[in-house]
Amino acid sequence: GIGRAVAVALSRAGARVTALSRTAADLESLARECPGIEPLCLDLADWDAAEAAVGAAGPFELLVNNAAVAELQPFLEVTREALQRSLNVNFGAVLHISQIVARQMIKQGVAGAIVNVSSQASKRALRDHAVYCSTKSALDMLTKVMAMELGPHKIRVNTVNPTVVMTDMGRINWSDPQKSAAMINRIPLGKFAEVDDVVNSILFLLSDKSAMTTGSSLMVDGGFLVS
């Protein structure tokens, strides 16, 4: 939901948008909604295919790394398959796609911006989220190192770290009043984030209005971390 909404918002703001997903049906419906968006169907776990496809689609001035998986298992039951899949998508794919795009930016002499979509789970332990929390924490630190190394090339790198977001999936996963109440009670603003809350934060970090911001994590958590 977040990735789609970001693609639509950027397109309507006048950007030339390439939307990447491994699900062709999602890209087809997105292209119908915003005919100017260029769909790119690709599994990010395939590094060779990503190198070829993203390299041919560029160069780019902006990048949003939003793809992620959430393999929720108790710590004692974490499987190697869940760990590897999460590392491949939540961390490895971000590193690789960012490498491809950043090299393009440097070659073109572009003062670019990259936003990695992280989570409040990178900052606070959550039950059954051992792998998810860990990969998002790794993503936050990767972002800081990217900001340090890419800064001299005028490329800014930041994260947004949302709480629970009311995407279609979010509404399903948090429809149990008892489960949702336990989380909302820890959020001072007393509500979960809407998709636009996250999208607007991403657009801010992509824009010149955040020209002096890099290596930062923008919390979109309603105050969850201060509770």
Side-chain angles (χ1 to χ4, degrees):
I2 295 171
R4 184 187 184 96
V6 169
V8 170
L10 285 169
S11 179
R12 289 176 177 169
R16 179 181 67 85
V17 177
T18 298
L20 192 157
S21 173
R22 66 176 184 160
T23 308
D26 289 344
L27 290 172
E28 291 165 3
S29 65
L30 177 61
R32 287 194 296 270
E33 182 179 350
C34 286
I37 291 178
E38 301 172 20
L40 184 59
C41 193
L42 177 70
D43 186 346
L44 290 173
D46 187 336
W47 276 43
D48 291 336
E51 188 89 36
V54 177
F60 300 103
E61 297 180 22
L62 308 171
L63 171 65
V64 179
N65 286 305
N66 176 71
V69 295
E71 301 274 3
L72 305 188
Q73 298 171 325
F75 166 71
L76 293 176
E77 299 175 17
V78 170
T79 62
R80 181 166 56 179
E81 292 76 17
L83 173 61
Q84 194 59 60
R85 182 165 181 250
S86 298
L87 285 170
N88 285 344
V89 178
N90 298 2
F91 184 81
V94 174
L95 186 151
H96 188 222
I97 298 300
S98 296
Q99 284 180 326
I100 299 168
V101 172
R103 287 173 185 145
Q104 294 174 345
M105 291 175 177
I106 293 168
K107 184 177 181 180
Q108 297 291 321
V110 169
I114 298 173
V115 176
N116 298 324
V117 179
S118 184
S119 170
Q120 71 179 18
S122 73
K123 312 290 187 184
R124 184 72 62 85
L126 299 173
R127 187 176 299 276
D128 299 336
H129 285 65
V131 171
Y132 186 78
C133 287
S134 298
T135 55
K136 289 299 188 179
S137 291
L139 177 59
D140 284 1
M141 185 51 68
L142 173 65
T143 299
K144 294 180 186 299
V145 175
M146 289 170 60
M148 179 183 292
E149 296 190 13
L150 297 177
H153 299 287
K154 311 304 179 190
I155 299 170
R156 298 183 300 104
V157 192
N158 296 284
T159 68
V160 292
N161 297 61
T163 183
V164 174
V165 182
M166 290 290 93
T167 60
D168 291 342
M169 185 177 297
R171 294 183 192 282
I172 293 171
N173 290 341
W174 293 88
S175 60
D176 180 353
Q178 186 172 355
K179 177 183 177 181
S180 61
M183 178 65 79
I184 288 176
N185 287 340
R186 298 169 64 183
I187 300 175
L189 291 184
K191 61 181 180 179
F192 292 139
E194 297 295 334
V195 172
D196 282 350
D197 296 324
V198 184
V199 171
N200 290 335
S201 297
I202 293 172
L203 296 183
F204 166 70
L205 290 173
L206 291 175
S207 76
D208 291 339
K209 295 185 183 297
S210 62
M212 198 59 184
T213 303
T214 194
S216 295
S217 295
L218 177 54
M219 305 308 301
V220 189
D221 68 345
F224 177 85
L225 287 187
V226 303
S227 65

